[in-house]
Amino acid sequence: MFSAQQVRGGGVVRRIIHDTNRYASLEEVLQRVDDEGWHVVQIGDQVIVLCSTGDMRILR
């Protein structure tokens, strides 16, 4: 999940939770997000990682 080119460029990575758990646990993903200072959102069965340390605001 974190080898995607979007990670290196500070982009967004989106995966279905089932696929995330196939390669790592959700807890491991959350730990990496915490270590990097990124943000993560779960919407339905999708995990969305915002690979940026900037401030986050949800507009709607």
Side-chain angles (χ1 to χ4, degrees):
M1 176 175 188
F2 295 119
S3 64
Q5 185 174 356
Q6 294 90 341
V7 173
R8 292 184 293 279
V12 176
V13 177
R14 177 181 56 86
R15 296 288 184 271
I16 295 173
I17 290 175
H18 174 74
D19 287 347
T20 301
N21 287 327
R22 187 181 318 167
Y23 302 107
S25 70
L26 183 56
E27 287 72 30
E28 289 175 293
V29 171
L30 295 175
Q31 184 60 54
R32 174 76 186 269
V33 167
D34 286 344
D35 291 348
E36 298 290 344
W38 298 336
H39 308 283
V40 64
V41 178
Q42 179 180 342
I43 301 173
D45 66 347
Q46 302 281 316
V47 172
I48 302 164
V49 178
L50 308 168
C51 302
S52 173
T53 59
D55 293 336
M56 184 176 86
R57 289 183 8 192
I58 297 177
L59 301 178
R60 295 212 199 275

